[in-house]
Amino acid sequence: MDKHIRIITVTSLSLLGILCISSGIMYSSLKAKNVDEKVLVIVEQKQVSKETDVDIKLKDLTIEVNTPLSVKIIDYLDSAVSDEVLANLELDTSSVNVTQPGTYNYTITYKKKIYNGIIIVKEKEVPTNTLQSITLRTLNVNIGTALSTDISNYVIEPLTDEIKSTMFIDLSKVNVNAAGSYQYTITYNNSIYTGTITITETQPTLSTTITEEKTPQEPPSGDETDQTQNTN
């Protein structure tokens, strides 16, 4: 082989080797730079308080005079709440006077927050079959006898249960343990009626037994005496 050709061949192989080595170094360098990176993402879950989401709405109630107030808080709520919230509610109806007509406020407290409601106390409705007026009886009662609580026993007019429920009788001034005349009242349809009850002493019972007098027997006559003697 010609010396000149040999030199060219060796030089070409040398350059090819250098090129291969350089390519290897460059590939390794590029691979080292192309490293997969893992990112750790931490998700922190916080519990959001639901206290601010509680929406409590109260009812505006209307009741008749002398109607007892409910002690159940749920009867005053106009919106649904959880059992946990219900257990932490405090009811205050101390300012409501059920014996007097009027408009009153009541409150329900939840975690220091106060909610206000209204209770209207109204007069009892008079039935449509109402009486214009009533007449009371004058009664005579023996001393020590308990007075009846049935209003029908004090009013002359016939009464239905519906009408009797609107009446109020006051017997507080009648002393059944002392003889005398006492007044009682019945309030009906915004009017007061007065009657009289007389307490009397119990009269002793008179004996009706009649004692029969025996008639003395007459002595036998003389003839009868003689006949008796003759017989002997």
Side-chain angles (χ1 to χ4, degrees), residues 31-82:
K31 186 177 180 181
K33 291 182 179 180
N34 193 21
V35 177
D36 293 336
E37 295 183 358
K38 294 182 179 181
V39 179
L40 179 62
V41 179
I42 300 177
V43 179
E44 183 178 359
Q45 184 177 4
K46 294 184 178 181
Q47 185 176 0
V48 180
S49 176
K50 295 183 178 180
E51 292 184 5
T52 57
D53 297 332
V54 175
D55 184 18
I56 299 177
K57 295 181 180 180
L58 306 186
K59 295 179 180 178
D60 290 338
L61 304 174
T62 300
I63 62 174
E64 291 186 343
V65 171
N66 295 326
T67 301
L69 293 174
S70 173
V71 295
K72 296 181 180 180
I73 297 180
I74 196 171
D75 293 338
Y76 298 85
L77 301 180
D78 200 26
S79 58
V81 297
S82 65

Side-chain angles (χ1 to χ4, degrees), residues 147-159:
L147 297 176
S148 173
T149 57
D150 188 351
I151 295 181
S152 298
N153 294 327
Y154 301 88
V155 180
I156 294 178
E157 289 79 11
L159 303 178

Side-chain angles (χ1 to χ4, degrees), residues 129-149:
N129 57 341
T130 181
L131 297 173
Q132 296 298 324
S133 62
I134 58 176
T135 307
L136 302 190
R137 300 177 187 274
T138 298
L139 304 176
N140 292 314
V141 179
N142 288 334
I143 192 169
T145 303
L147 297 176
S148 173
T149 57

